[in-house]
Every structure is written in C-alpha cells, then in structure tokens.
Amino acid sequence: MSVRNQRSSYGALPYTPLLPWQVRERRFKLVGLGRRGLEPDHVYAFIDRVAVDLAAVYAALAASRREAACAKVALRRQQSDRGGRGSEA
C-alpha cells in the first residue's frame, strides 16, 4: 500500500502531498536550555532546500502533464485524419 492510499485508524482523509509553501512555513518548537535538540538555523536551511526541490518537482510534473495533454490532442487529431481518408495508408 502506498503512503498516498493509507488511512489512519481514525478515518482521517487520505494523505495529501505537501506544497512548497507548506514546507517553507513549517516551524518547530525550540528545546529548552540544557536539553538536546537540533540547531534551528540548520533545520530551516534544510527545509528551504527541500521546498526549492519540491517546487522544481511540481514544475516538472506540470510540464510533463502539459506535454502529455498536447500529445493526446495530436494523437486524436492524427487518428481522426486517418479515419476520414478510408483505407489509404
């Protein structure tokens, strides 16, 4: 089962992918003095990098979908052109 199709035991909605702005705006609670934790500047630098990469993936996906749509239109046009000419090939 993919992550996208998983449901929690509480019947929550299916997994929805994160958008770049959601990654960029995510903030984490700081740990108290004397406790272990991560360096906030390093965490946020990584989050910014992930958001940039995620934005690039979404842009590539959109371009791929546009290209596929154009290919479908061209294929339909070609099929209709061939269908109207009879048995010529």
Side-chain angles (χ1 to χ4, degrees):
M1 177 186 292
S2 74
V3 174
R4 185 177 294 263
N5 294 328
Q6 289 180 353
R7 288 183 174 265
S8 74
S9 59
Y10 300 108
L13 294 175
Y15 172 82
T16 55
L18 288 172
L19 299 173
W21 68 266
Q22 291 172 311
V23 173
R24 277 192 194 96
E25 291 185 2
R26 180 70 169 111
R27 294 297 176 247
F28 299 92
K29 182 179 176 183
L30 298 176
V31 295
L33 192 60
R35 296 180 63 194
R36 291 185 177 186
L38 300 174
E39 179 65 41
D41 291 339
H42 291 232
V43 172
Y44 294 127
F46 179 76
I47 287 174
D48 287 340
R49 182 176 170 191
V50 170
V52 167
D53 289 350
L54 191 57
V57 168
Y58 276 109
L61 178 61
S64 177
R65 287 179 174 164
R66 284 190 302 271
E67 185 178 340
C70 289
K72 285 180 184 179
V73 169
L75 180 60
R76 287 184 189 128
R77 186 177 302 128
Q78 184 182 31
Q79 288 172 339
S80 67
D81 289 347
R82 283 186 180 178
R85 287 190 249 160
S87 61
E88 292 179 34

